[in-house]
């Protein structure tokens, strides 16, 4: 990666490196919702797809979504939260991403489900989201595992965008990974091959950032053990489709991703990483 750390251009390149690998690749690894974040396993026999639906229900319930409410999805990915909030909770959603492939993918899913009147997808950096001048344009704001990408120096800006986008009394939900130790980016392997420029920190430090940004903390829910099972589901899909994945991206990328998934699972299992 070149250029000033977490500049608009460099952030776009870093996100593209990871998320624009190809939509077909992620379809073979993730579940049908295309949720690329930790699921919520309510029982021992819960399948990955059910766990992701349960997590999205949990998020929307915590946000207090009701029909007609306006929600901002910061870092909307392939649209799992945006679509779920619109389809199952009746919300009007604006999702933002800086991945061109993700935007195109979400827009197709929106059209296929007849949700064009409820879901708008913008190719937009979080720093450029309108309605962040204090007018609180949204009733609720969600951001699932996107805060890891904004960097330590820019996290106060991220927290400010979340706060200023929501109306007084509205709710903000952040789902984010935590990490302690000397490698906030996840270590040299992750930083070089998978997700450049990520920054994770202990949970308490993130909570402090959010409080300093003007948000009142109403609850923190730990989900670390659920990530072990989430990654296990991704790895099962990955290995079951290894031949097709190799045809798509080549043997080197497949080997890198196998190590990434296995290593990530171990980090959550052993408590070296968390998610809340």
């Amino acid at each position: 990666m070149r250029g000033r750390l977490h500049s608009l251009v460099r952030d776009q390149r870093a996100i593209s490196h990871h998320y624009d690998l190809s939509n077909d690749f992620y379809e073979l690894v993730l579940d049908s919702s295309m949720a690329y974040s930790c699921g919520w396993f309510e029982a021992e026999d819960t399948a990955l797809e059910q766990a992701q639906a349960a997590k999205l229900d949990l998020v929307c319930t915590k946000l207090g979504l009701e029909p007609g409410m306006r929600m901002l999805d910061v870092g909307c990915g392939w649209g799992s939260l945006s679509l779920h909030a619109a389809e199952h909770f009746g919300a009007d959603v604006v999702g933002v991403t800086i991945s061109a492939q993700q935007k195109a993918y979400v827009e197709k899913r929106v059209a296929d489900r007849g949700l064009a009147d409820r879901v708008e997808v913008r190719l937009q950096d979080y720093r450029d989201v309108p309605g962040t001048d204090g007018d609180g344009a949204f009733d609720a704001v969600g951001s699932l595992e996107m805060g890891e990408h904004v960097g330590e120096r820019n996290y106060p800006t991220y927290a400010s965008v979340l706060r200023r986008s929501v109306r007084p009394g509205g709710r903000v939900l952040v789902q984010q990974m935590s990490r302690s130790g000397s490698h906030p980016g996840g270590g040299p392997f992750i930083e070089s091959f998978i997700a450049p420029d990520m920054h994770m920190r202990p949970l308490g430090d993130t909570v402090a950032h959010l409080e300093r940004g003007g948000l009142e903390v109403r609850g923190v829910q730990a989900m670390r053990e659920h990530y072990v099972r989430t990654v296990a589901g991704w790895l099962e899909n990955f290995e079951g489709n290894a031949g097709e994945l190799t045809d798509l991206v080549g043997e080197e990328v497949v080997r890198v991703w196998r190590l990434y998934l296995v290593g990530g699972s171990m980090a959550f299992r052993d408590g070296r990483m968390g998610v809340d």
Side-chain angles (χ1 to χ4, degrees):
M1 301 298 298
R2 296 179 181 273
R4 182 169 56 85
L5 184 64
H6 293 297
S7 65
L8 292 174
V9 172
R10 178 162 168 161
D11 272 359
Q12 196 280 327
R13 289 173 179 166
I15 293 298
S16 179
H17 171 79
H18 188 63
Y19 295 96
D20 286 346
L21 189 57
S22 96
N23 292 334
D24 293 338
F25 177 91
Y26 285 99
E27 281 187 324
L28 293 169
V29 177
L30 307 178
D31 73 297
S32 63
S33 75
M34 291 290 279
Y36 188 29
S37 57
C38 183
W40 182 255
F41 291 81
E42 297 178 308
E44 284 296 319
D45 60 350
T46 300
L48 175 62
E49 189 162 348
Q50 294 171 314
Q52 292 293 9
K55 186 276 298 292
L56 295 170
D57 276 342
L58 185 64
V59 168
C60 292
T61 300
K62 284 178 178 286
L63 285 172
L65 291 186
E66 295 179 357
M69 291 178 67
R70 295 195 72 221
M71 189 192 91
L72 174 65
D73 185 359
V74 182
C76 65
W78 289 276
S80 61
L81 175 58
S82 293
L83 290 165
H84 195 86
E87 196 166 24
H88 299 284
F89 287 78
D92 295 323
V93 185
V94 173
V96 296
T97 176
I98 57 174
S99 166
Q101 287 201 29
Q102 287 183 336
K103 180 179 185 292
Y105 188 91
V106 179
E107 286 181 331
K108 184 179 185 307
R109 297 180 81 192
V110 167
D112 289 345
R113 299 189 189 190
L115 294 172
D117 60 331
R118 289 189 187 171
V119 181
E120 175 190 354
V121 189
R122 299 174 182 168
L123 189 64
Q124 189 173 57
D125 189 274
Y126 71 94
R127 287 163 283 198
D128 295 329
V129 173
T132 57
D133 54 359
D135 62 358
F138 297 93
D139 299 300
V141 178
S143 190
L144 305 187
E145 296 185 24
M146 186 272 188
E148 300 87 343
H149 295 289
V150 305
E152 184 66 10
R153 181 176 295 180
N154 284 348
Y155 205 89
T157 301
Y158 171 70
S160 176
V161 168
L162 300 178
R163 167 65 185 89
R164 290 154 58 190
S165 296
V166 74
R167 64 169 173 78
R171 298 180 185 179
V172 173
L173 185 141
V174 174
Q175 180 173 318
Q176 190 169 305
M177 290 179 279
S178 62
R179 184 180 179 92
S180 57
S182 58
H183 293 290
F189 171 77
I190 297 291
E191 294 164 33
S192 298
F193 291 99
I194 298 294
D197 296 347
M198 276 217 308
H199 189 103
M200 295 168 282
R201 67 188 70 78
L203 169 63
D205 293 354
T206 293
V207 169
H209 271 304
L210 295 170
E211 288 184 320
R212 285 194 294 268
L215 291 163
E216 177 190 9
V217 177
R218 302 290 293 181
V220 177
Q221 186 159 0
M223 301 170 65
R224 178 179 62 81
E225 297 88 346
H226 295 261
Y227 230 146
V228 179
R229 296 183 63 183
T230 300
V231 177
W234 292 342
L235 191 57
E236 182 179 354
N237 293 340
F238 181 91
E239 297 296 1
N241 295 304
E244 194 170 347
L245 289 168
T246 304
D247 292 339
L248 274 174
V249 296
E251 182 181 355
E252 179 180 326
V253 174
V254 166
R255 291 174 65 185
V256 163
W257 264 74
R258 179 177 289 117
L259 186 56
Y260 161 56
L261 291 171
V262 172
S265 177
M266 293 172 66
F268 288 109
R269 180 198 68 190
D270 298 341
R272 289 178 283 116
M273 288 182 64
V275 63
D276 304 271

